[in-house]
Amino acid sequence: MRPLIAILCLLPAVVLAQSNPAALAARQWRQQHERAIVQELMTLLAIPNVTSDRENVQRNATSIMQMMERRGIATKLVSVAGANPLVFGELRTPGAARTLVFYAHYDGQPVEPTEWATPPFEPVLRNRAIENGGAIVPVAAAGGTIDPESRLYARSAADDKAPIVALMAALDAIRAAGLNIQSNIKFVFEGEEEAGSANLEKMLAANKDLVAGDLWLVCDGPLYQTRQQSIIFGARGIATFDLTVYGPRAELHSGHYGNWAPNPALSLARLLSSMKDPVSDRVLVEGFYDQVEPLTALEKKAIADAPAIDATLMDEFWLGSTDGRPHTLNELITQPSLNIRGMASARVGSTATNIIPASATATLDVRLVKKMTVQRTLDVLRAHLRKQGFFVVDADPGADVRRAHPRVAKLALLRGAEAARTSMDLPISRTVIRTVESVRGKTVSLPTMGGQLPLDAIERATGARTIVIPMGNHDNHQHSSNENLRIQNLWDGIELMAALLTMELK
Amino acid sequence: MRPLIAILCLLPAVVLAQSNPAALAARQWRQQHERAIVQELMTLLAIPNVTSDRENVQRNATSIMQMMERRGIATKLVSVAGANPLVFGELRTPGAARTLVFYAHYDGQPVEPTEWATPPFEPVLRNRAIENGGAIVPVAAAGGTIDPESRLYARSAADDKAPIVALMAALDAIRAAGLNIQSNIKFVFEGEEEAGSANLEKMLAANKDLVAGDLWLVCDGPLYQTRQQSIIFGARGIATFDLTVYGPRAELHSGHYGNWAPNPALSLARLLSSMKDPVSDRVLVEGFYDQVEPLTALEKKAIADAPAIDATLMDEFWLGSTDGRPHTLNELITQPSLNIRGMASARVGSTATNIIPASATATLDVRLVKKMTVQRTLDVLRAHLRKQGFFVVDADPGADVRRAHPRVAKLALLRGAEAARTSMDLPISRTVIRTVESVRGKTVSLPTMGGQLPLDAIERATGARTIVIPMGNHDNHQHSSNENLRIQNLWDGIELMAALLTMELK
């Protein structure tokens, strides 16, 4: 979870000459207000935001509403029963025909405080990354400057409170410079993204007019590993399963019954092995790839144009091989994947005992690509289990079922969300690429990210297009301990948001 | 771990007409002293005896010495540094040419008190098994009788303190009846059997003269599942391994890297699958069976003569199939086995996260049969891993090793002990069978048990033969919670021990 590309981290911050007028205004404003901007982010980071901590999540929502109201943005909390609210904000632009929606999320992943160098909700600035010996430094005095290679440590510093503060600072800069905004602007800040956006689609659908827009810019995720700005036009979907197979009713003595009582760990091992080809690493589940929408020529070209990162990543991750060769990581994440998240049967190592386990479980995730559905993926997996000789159930089987069938497997769908991918050659897409490149130079455009974002839920509920604009450093320890935001990424993000807020959609 | 064969449990206690004079004397003595015998066992059971609890284990040893000294047996504690002592006892018989050694162990498996109906070291009598609604009943008043279907609940009630008390009661009975003992008698009661008898061979070898004998009767293990008396002429050995394979250095996001970073859980699944044939269930590791000593015609006949139990066990264990068909359980446990004790990689179910695991581990046990060695088993397993394309290490590999090899596996031997099997047609074996049958009627003689006992250590250190004489009920919950001893088994055991103490070895 820590893609710290050692070599790349040594690159100095490259500050581009700025030609986009809004971005230039943002740079000037930021240079005069570094301390205030960082302080506004630190104040927000000091409010605990683990998705399940509803009381504190509500405090975050209130705080974000106040940040917007201080800037004259009309705000509203949108929710349904049992959900953390969406914080909605709107700036109408008289005469504008188009509406741009900026999305970010203000909730964060669970924290394990003992694994953090400093408490996750007591933000601190360090002069560099902890793994490079970073020490805590004071935030500059008012009017002072902050080392752009310093980093802000706190849960959600990068994922995903930084874009919220960057948007606010960009808006301040635009106004201070007297620049015009061309579109209606809406802000939707979600409070449940880290728990799978379970209520997002429902909340959007119930407030269709309020959240209507032409394009959602989803400000989430890290930049490309070379620190180049990226634009991502889609996200894979996901379907998560628990798969359990059964041995004897209770654990049996492996001496008394070994060779005779079927071992469920071996049975699971065989079943998992049957799912992927050991040479091509392709999924062998029949029909798995049937719905996949192929990449367009433009999408293939974009992938080919992205800087090569595989060798550097292999060093970083201590890998002696990769799957799916000769294809690269960027190619492979445009394909569906079947991954074992975890596997468990009885106990191992010093806690292992002399037994034949009673059951064995694997948790799987399938990453879906555009046009694949969760339901059909479940169907083809079930059919695969049957082909392997298993009687398939969806709840724990009793004695009757287990006595009647030589092999029984339980397959339970835990969660499903479908993929989305916006065409890179739509006029709206080209405008975004042009705007981003005017601020950040040559960018890395990719048809999809490998991970999941609620793009599909947004598109289905609102009919809008979605494009992902990342801001955080790739080495931000997202979802892990010691999450951090490199300050230069915040500065760059403010300039980028200023340009996007002021761009004209044709 | 609970072979409760429901149908068989309903059989009433069958009390055989007794023709062996020592057994008859034992019955009469027991009938007059039921309360005292059970109280002596309960007193011993009240001393906690988990192998690692050295202080209490020592209290057990002292208590057993006192039990023997009260009966005029010369005693001695035998130990080496760091070991729980062997309690040794000796009764010399003037003019005897042969020496019989009775072995049992006084240590017990760890306990999880919350899983016990009553505390494991506060022995109670119940009128029947807990799973049949057994309620606590008082032990009979002095001179009263105890229901033979009642059960004594405590850790080690069956495994393995019952034989110690049965031997003492049998000796009391023999003396009360004025019967002669034909051989020198030695007692060796071990205090580390449940931790693998790590020091047994060393202690015996260092006291070779003291423990010398012609035949060791190893009083341990449960009776056959039909409640028939069994005589077991050997035990499988064991070799336990941890097998670990590696993925990325740390867990990686399955969205960002799924399809590209090799998944160690899948790698382990493939490796485990490669080890056994899915049709024959034979081990596919080359050379695995090379050293196996075939069964003799007599051993094969003994297995064929044993009552069929597979169908009943399948019902009991909820099994819809068994491995190694058409062979039966009794046949299969004479063959070596390769078993997965447990398997682990990252987390499953509600604690699973969206990652590619960093490693995957299985703990394996190989059950060895006569002539197989631990070292060669380790060698053939290593060779198998190499054939599957793995670079094999025996300690955690660093970055250099993992970058240099597409697949790396760590194989660590945790424990090894070899098998032993005494020929069933030796004169000494025939004498034991004849004596046991004179007490207990038709017995089930089997060439080996599936589990491991330190027979090999005893034979190697002392040069003696070993034969296993079980006493406990098969449904005793050995190693688990609510371990118990059926009182009829104790009564039968006293009669059997009396006959064995007085038998004449030619």
Short mmCIF file of all heavy atoms in Angstrom, two decimals, chain A residues 418-465:
data_model
loop_
_atom_site.label_atom_id
_atom_site.label_comp_id
_atom_site.label_asym_id
_atom_site.label_seq_id
_atom_site.Cartn_x
_atom_site.Cartn_y
_atom_site.Cartn_z
N GLU A 418 -20.42 -1.29 -10.50
CA GLU A 418 -19.96 -1.46 -11.87
C GLU A 418 -18.98 -0.38 -12.32
O GLU A 418 -18.80 0.63 -11.65
CB GLU A 418 -21.18 -1.61 -12.79
CG GLU A 418 -21.66 -3.07 -12.73
CD GLU A 418 -23.17 -3.31 -12.87
OE1 GLU A 418 -23.85 -2.46 -13.45
OE2 GLU A 418 -23.63 -4.37 -12.39
N ALA A 419 -18.34 -0.66 -13.42
CA ALA A 419 -17.28 0.22 -13.93
C ALA A 419 -17.89 1.39 -14.72
O ALA A 419 -19.05 1.35 -15.11
CB ALA A 419 -16.35 -0.58 -14.83
N ALA A 420 -17.07 2.39 -14.98
CA ALA A 420 -17.47 3.48 -15.86
C ALA A 420 -16.24 3.94 -16.63
O ALA A 420 -15.12 3.83 -16.12
CB ALA A 420 -18.04 4.64 -15.05
N ARG A 421 -16.45 4.42 -17.84
CA ARG A 421 -15.31 4.91 -18.63
C ARG A 421 -15.84 5.95 -19.61
O ARG A 421 -16.71 5.65 -20.42
CB ARG A 421 -14.66 3.73 -19.37
CG ARG A 421 -13.21 3.95 -19.71
CD ARG A 421 -12.51 2.61 -19.98
NE ARG A 421 -12.79 2.09 -21.32
CZ ARG A 421 -12.92 0.78 -21.60
NH1 ARG A 421 -12.84 -0.13 -20.65
NH2 ARG A 421 -13.17 0.40 -22.83
N THR A 422 -15.34 7.16 -19.48
CA THR A 422 -15.76 8.24 -20.36
C THR A 422 -14.83 8.27 -21.57
O THR A 422 -13.61 8.18 -21.41
CB THR A 422 -15.69 9.59 -19.61
OG1 THR A 422 -16.63 9.53 -18.53
CG2 THR A 422 -16.02 10.76 -20.51
N SER A 423 -15.43 8.42 -22.73
CA SER A 423 -14.62 8.43 -23.95
C SER A 423 -13.65 9.61 -23.93
O SER A 423 -14.02 10.73 -23.57
CB SER A 423 -15.55 8.51 -25.15
OG SER A 423 -14.78 8.58 -26.31
N MET A 424 -12.40 9.35 -24.31
CA MET A 424 -11.38 10.40 -24.24
C MET A 424 -11.49 11.38 -25.39
O MET A 424 -10.83 12.43 -25.37
CB MET A 424 -9.98 9.76 -24.25
CG MET A 424 -9.72 8.94 -23.00
SD MET A 424 -8.19 7.96 -23.12
CE MET A 424 -6.98 9.25 -22.98
N ASP A 425 -12.31 11.06 -26.42
CA ASP A 425 -12.36 12.00 -27.54
C ASP A 425 -13.66 12.80 -27.60
O ASP A 425 -13.94 13.45 -28.59
CB ASP A 425 -12.06 11.30 -28.87
CG ASP A 425 -12.98 10.12 -29.11
OD1 ASP A 425 -13.88 9.89 -28.26
OD2 ASP A 425 -12.80 9.42 -30.12
N LEU A 426 -14.43 12.79 -26.54
CA LEU A 426 -15.57 13.70 -26.47
C LEU A 426 -15.04 15.13 -26.39
O LEU A 426 -13.97 15.36 -25.82
CB LEU A 426 -16.39 13.43 -25.20
CG LEU A 426 -17.12 12.11 -25.09
CD1 LEU A 426 -17.82 12.02 -23.72
CD2 LEU A 426 -18.15 11.97 -26.21
N PRO A 427 -15.79 16.10 -26.93
CA PRO A 427 -15.34 17.50 -26.81
C PRO A 427 -15.07 17.88 -25.35
O PRO A 427 -14.07 18.53 -25.05
CB PRO A 427 -16.53 18.28 -27.38
CG PRO A 427 -17.22 17.31 -28.29
CD PRO A 427 -17.03 15.95 -27.71
N ILE A 428 -15.93 17.42 -24.45
CA ILE A 428 -15.79 17.74 -23.04
C ILE A 428 -14.47 17.17 -22.49
O ILE A 428 -13.78 17.79 -21.67
CB ILE A 428 -17.02 17.19 -22.28
CG1 ILE A 428 -17.48 18.14 -21.21
CG2 ILE A 428 -16.81 15.81 -21.73
CD1 ILE A 428 -18.84 17.72 -20.63
N SER A 429 -14.10 15.99 -22.95
CA SER A 429 -12.86 15.36 -22.51
C SER A 429 -11.66 16.14 -23.02
O SER A 429 -10.68 16.38 -22.31
CB SER A 429 -12.79 13.91 -23.01
OG SER A 429 -13.89 13.17 -22.52
N ARG A 430 -11.76 16.53 -24.29
CA ARG A 430 -10.64 17.28 -24.88
C ARG A 430 -10.45 18.63 -24.20
O ARG A 430 -9.32 19.08 -24.00
CB ARG A 430 -10.85 17.42 -26.40
CG ARG A 430 -10.47 16.10 -27.11
CD ARG A 430 -10.39 16.23 -28.63
NE ARG A 430 -11.55 15.56 -29.25
CZ ARG A 430 -12.43 16.15 -30.04
NH1 ARG A 430 -12.33 17.45 -30.33
NH2 ARG A 430 -13.42 15.46 -30.56
N THR A 431 -11.56 19.25 -23.81
CA THR A 431 -11.46 20.54 -23.10
C THR A 431 -10.74 20.35 -21.77
O THR A 431 -9.88 21.16 -21.38
CB THR A 431 -12.87 21.12 -22.85
OG1 THR A 431 -13.50 21.31 -24.11
CG2 THR A 431 -12.79 22.44 -22.10
N VAL A 432 -11.07 19.28 -21.08
CA VAL A 432 -10.44 19.04 -19.78
C VAL A 432 -8.94 18.79 -19.96
O VAL A 432 -8.10 19.37 -19.26
CB VAL A 432 -11.13 17.87 -19.04
CG1 VAL A 432 -10.31 17.43 -17.82
CG2 VAL A 432 -12.54 18.26 -18.62
N ILE A 433 -8.59 17.94 -20.94
CA ILE A 433 -7.17 17.65 -21.18
C ILE A 433 -6.42 18.95 -21.49
O ILE A 433 -5.35 19.23 -20.92
CB ILE A 433 -7.00 16.64 -22.34
CG1 ILE A 433 -7.60 15.28 -21.97
CG2 ILE A 433 -5.51 16.48 -22.70
CD1 ILE A 433 -7.61 14.25 -23.11
N ARG A 434 -7.01 19.75 -22.38
CA ARG A 434 -6.36 21.01 -22.79
C ARG A 434 -6.17 21.93 -21.59
O ARG A 434 -5.11 22.52 -21.40
CB ARG A 434 -7.22 21.67 -23.87
CG ARG A 434 -6.47 22.65 -24.73
CD ARG A 434 -7.26 23.06 -25.99
NE ARG A 434 -8.65 23.36 -25.66
CZ ARG A 434 -9.72 22.68 -26.15
NH1 ARG A 434 -9.55 21.67 -26.98
NH2 ARG A 434 -10.95 23.02 -25.79
N THR A 435 -7.20 22.02 -20.77
CA THR A 435 -7.12 22.91 -19.60
C THR A 435 -6.05 22.42 -18.63
O THR A 435 -5.22 23.20 -18.14
CB THR A 435 -8.48 22.98 -18.89
OG1 THR A 435 -9.45 23.41 -19.83
CG2 THR A 435 -8.44 23.93 -17.69
N VAL A 436 -6.07 21.14 -18.35
CA VAL A 436 -5.10 20.60 -17.39
C VAL A 436 -3.68 20.79 -17.92
O VAL A 436 -2.77 21.20 -17.18
CB VAL A 436 -5.39 19.11 -17.10
CG1 VAL A 436 -4.27 18.49 -16.24
CG2 VAL A 436 -6.74 18.97 -16.40
N GLU A 437 -3.49 20.53 -19.21
CA GLU A 437 -2.13 20.66 -19.77
C GLU A 437 -1.68 22.11 -19.78
O GLU A 437 -0.47 22.39 -19.67
CB GLU A 437 -2.07 20.03 -21.16
CG GLU A 437 -2.31 18.51 -21.07
CD GLU A 437 -1.65 17.70 -22.18
OE1 GLU A 437 -1.53 18.21 -23.30
OE2 GLU A 437 -1.24 16.54 -21.90
N SER A 438 -2.64 23.04 -19.89
CA SER A 438 -2.26 24.46 -19.87
C SER A 438 -1.70 24.86 -18.51
O SER A 438 -0.94 25.81 -18.38
CB SER A 438 -3.46 25.35 -20.24
OG SER A 438 -4.36 25.46 -19.14
N VAL A 439 -2.08 24.11 -17.48
CA VAL A 439 -1.62 24.40 -16.12
C VAL A 439 -0.41 23.55 -15.74
O VAL A 439 0.55 24.03 -15.15
CB VAL A 439 -2.75 24.11 -15.10
CG1 VAL A 439 -2.27 24.41 -13.67
CG2 VAL A 439 -3.99 24.90 -15.44
N ARG A 440 -0.47 22.28 -16.09
CA ARG A 440 0.48 21.32 -15.51
C ARG A 440 1.40 20.69 -16.55
O ARG A 440 2.11 19.73 -16.24
CB ARG A 440 -0.29 20.22 -14.76
CG ARG A 440 -1.22 20.74 -13.66
CD ARG A 440 -0.49 20.91 -12.32
NE ARG A 440 0.01 19.64 -11.89
CZ ARG A 440 1.30 19.37 -11.64
NH1 ARG A 440 2.21 20.30 -11.78
NH2 ARG A 440 1.66 18.17 -11.25
N GLY A 441 1.38 21.20 -17.77
CA GLY A 441 2.26 20.64 -18.80
C GLY A 441 1.76 19.27 -19.24
O GLY A 441 0.59 18.92 -19.04
N LYS A 442 2.67 18.49 -19.81
CA LYS A 442 2.32 17.18 -20.36
C LYS A 442 1.72 16.29 -19.26
O LYS A 442 2.35 16.04 -18.23
CB LYS A 442 3.60 16.55 -20.92
CG LYS A 442 3.44 15.14 -21.46
CD LYS A 442 2.75 15.12 -22.81
CE LYS A 442 2.52 13.69 -23.28
NZ LYS A 442 1.30 13.58 -24.11
N THR A 443 0.53 15.86 -19.49
CA THR A 443 -0.13 15.02 -18.48
C THR A 443 -0.19 13.58 -18.97
O THR A 443 0.00 13.29 -20.15
CB THR A 443 -1.57 15.50 -18.20
OG1 THR A 443 -2.34 15.28 -19.37
CG2 THR A 443 -1.59 16.96 -17.83
N VAL A 444 -0.47 12.69 -18.02
CA VAL A 444 -0.67 11.28 -18.33
C VAL A 444 -2.18 11.02 -18.34
O VAL A 444 -2.82 11.09 -17.30
CB VAL A 444 0.01 10.39 -17.28
CG1 VAL A 444 -0.21 8.92 -17.60
CG2 VAL A 444 1.49 10.71 -17.17
N SER A 445 -2.71 10.80 -19.53
CA SER A 445 -4.14 10.50 -19.62
C SER A 445 -4.33 9.00 -19.73
O SER A 445 -3.69 8.36 -20.56
CB SER A 445 -4.75 11.18 -20.86
OG SER A 445 -4.73 12.57 -20.69
N LEU A 446 -5.18 8.45 -18.89
CA LEU A 446 -5.40 7.00 -18.93
C LEU A 446 -6.91 6.72 -18.98
O LEU A 446 -7.71 7.43 -18.36
CB LEU A 446 -4.79 6.34 -17.69
CG LEU A 446 -3.24 6.31 -17.66
CD1 LEU A 446 -2.74 5.84 -16.32
CD2 LEU A 446 -2.70 5.42 -18.78
N PRO A 447 -7.27 5.69 -19.73
CA PRO A 447 -8.71 5.40 -19.90
C PRO A 447 -9.40 4.99 -18.60
O PRO A 447 -10.59 5.20 -18.44
CB PRO A 447 -8.74 4.28 -20.93
CG PRO A 447 -7.36 3.75 -21.04
CD PRO A 447 -6.43 4.82 -20.58
N THR A 448 -8.64 4.38 -17.69
CA THR A 448 -9.29 3.95 -16.46
C THR A 448 -8.25 3.82 -15.36
O THR A 448 -7.07 3.59 -15.64
CB THR A 448 -10.04 2.61 -16.62
OG1 THR A 448 -10.73 2.29 -15.41
CG2 THR A 448 -9.10 1.46 -16.95
N MET A 449 -8.68 3.95 -14.13
CA MET A 449 -7.82 3.55 -13.03
C MET A 449 -8.17 2.10 -12.69
O MET A 449 -9.22 1.59 -13.06
CB MET A 449 -8.02 4.46 -11.81
CG MET A 449 -9.38 4.41 -11.18
SD MET A 449 -9.40 5.23 -9.57
CE MET A 449 -8.93 6.88 -10.01
N GLY A 450 -7.26 1.46 -11.98
CA GLY A 450 -7.50 0.07 -11.61
C GLY A 450 -8.47 -0.06 -10.46
O GLY A 450 -9.21 -1.05 -10.35
N GLY A 451 -8.49 0.94 -9.60
CA GLY A 451 -9.37 0.90 -8.44
C GLY A 451 -10.79 1.33 -8.77
O GLY A 451 -11.13 1.57 -9.93
N GLN A 452 -11.59 1.38 -7.73
CA GLN A 452 -13.00 1.68 -7.92
C GLN A 452 -13.30 3.06 -7.38
O GLN A 452 -12.77 3.47 -6.35
CB GLN A 452 -13.85 0.63 -7.18
CG GLN A 452 -15.32 0.60 -7.56
CD GLN A 452 -16.18 1.39 -6.59
OE1 GLN A 452 -15.82 1.57 -5.44
NE2 GLN A 452 -17.33 1.84 -7.05
N LEU A 453 -14.12 3.83 -8.11
CA LEU A 453 -14.66 5.10 -7.63
C LEU A 453 -16.14 5.08 -8.00
O LEU A 453 -16.54 4.37 -8.93
CB LEU A 453 -13.97 6.28 -8.31
CG LEU A 453 -12.61 6.70 -7.77
CD1 LEU A 453 -12.07 7.87 -8.59
CD2 LEU A 453 -12.71 7.09 -6.30
N PRO A 454 -16.96 5.86 -7.32
CA PRO A 454 -18.41 5.76 -7.60
C PRO A 454 -18.83 6.49 -8.87
O PRO A 454 -19.88 7.12 -8.91
CB PRO A 454 -19.02 6.39 -6.34
CG PRO A 454 -18.00 7.34 -5.84
CD PRO A 454 -16.67 6.74 -6.18
N LEU A 455 -18.02 6.38 -9.93
CA LEU A 455 -18.35 7.06 -11.18
C LEU A 455 -19.64 6.51 -11.77
O LEU A 455 -20.49 7.25 -12.28
CB LEU A 455 -17.22 6.87 -12.20
CG LEU A 455 -15.81 7.24 -11.74
CD1 LEU A 455 -14.83 7.12 -12.92
CD2 LEU A 455 -15.78 8.65 -11.17
N ASP A 456 -19.78 5.20 -11.68
CA ASP A 456 -20.96 4.56 -12.25
C ASP A 456 -22.22 5.03 -11.53
O ASP A 456 -23.24 5.32 -12.17
CB ASP A 456 -20.80 3.04 -12.12
CG ASP A 456 -22.00 2.30 -12.64
OD1 ASP A 456 -22.30 2.45 -13.83
OD2 ASP A 456 -22.63 1.58 -11.84
N ALA A 457 -22.14 5.13 -10.20
CA ALA A 457 -23.30 5.60 -9.43
C ALA A 457 -23.66 7.03 -9.82
O ALA A 457 -24.83 7.38 -9.99
CB ALA A 457 -22.99 5.52 -7.93
N ILE A 458 -22.65 7.87 -10.00
CA ILE A 458 -22.89 9.26 -10.38
C ILE A 458 -23.53 9.34 -11.77
O ILE A 458 -24.53 10.02 -11.98
CB ILE A 458 -21.56 10.06 -10.35
CG1 ILE A 458 -21.02 10.16 -8.92
CG2 ILE A 458 -21.73 11.44 -10.98
CD1 ILE A 458 -19.58 10.66 -8.82
N GLU A 459 -22.96 8.59 -12.70
CA GLU A 459 -23.47 8.64 -14.08
C GLU A 459 -24.90 8.13 -14.16
O GLU A 459 -25.74 8.70 -14.86
CB GLU A 459 -22.56 7.84 -15.02
CG GLU A 459 -21.18 8.48 -15.15
CD GLU A 459 -20.30 7.83 -16.21
OE1 GLU A 459 -20.77 6.90 -16.91
OE2 GLU A 459 -19.13 8.25 -16.34
N ARG A 460 -25.15 7.03 -13.41
CA ARG A 460 -26.48 6.44 -13.49
C ARG A 460 -27.52 7.36 -12.85
O ARG A 460 -28.62 7.53 -13.36
CB ARG A 460 -26.49 5.07 -12.82
CG ARG A 460 -27.40 4.10 -13.49
CD ARG A 460 -27.14 2.66 -13.10
NE ARG A 460 -26.59 2.57 -11.77
CZ ARG A 460 -25.66 1.68 -11.41
NH1 ARG A 460 -25.21 0.80 -12.27
NH2 ARG A 460 -25.20 1.66 -10.19
N ALA A 461 -27.16 7.98 -11.72
CA ALA A 461 -28.14 8.81 -11.01
C ALA A 461 -28.35 10.15 -11.68
O ALA A 461 -29.44 10.73 -11.62
CB ALA A 461 -27.68 9.01 -9.56
N THR A 462 -27.31 10.70 -12.33
CA THR A 462 -27.40 12.08 -12.82
C THR A 462 -27.36 12.21 -14.33
O THR A 462 -27.70 13.27 -14.86
CB THR A 462 -26.23 12.93 -12.26
OG1 THR A 462 -25.01 12.49 -12.90
CG2 THR A 462 -26.09 12.78 -10.76
N GLY A 463 -26.90 11.18 -15.01
CA GLY A 463 -26.75 11.28 -16.46
C GLY A 463 -25.55 12.10 -16.90
O GLY A 463 -25.32 12.29 -18.09
N ALA A 464 -24.76 12.60 -15.95
CA ALA A 464 -23.58 13.40 -16.30
C ALA A 464 -22.42 12.52 -16.72
O ALA A 464 -22.44 11.31 -16.52
CB ALA A 464 -23.18 14.25 -15.10
N ARG A 465 -21.40 13.14 -17.30
CA ARG A 465 -20.12 12.48 -17.56
C ARG A 465 -19.23 12.65 -16.33
O ARG A 465 -19.40 13.61 -15.57
CB ARG A 465 -19.41 13.13 -18.76
CG ARG A 465 -20.22 13.18 -20.02
CD ARG A 465 -20.30 11.82 -20.67
NE ARG A 465 -20.95 11.92 -21.98
CZ ARG A 465 -21.07 10.89 -22.79
NH1 ARG A 465 -20.62 9.69 -22.44
NH2 ARG A 465 -21.67 11.03 -23.96
#
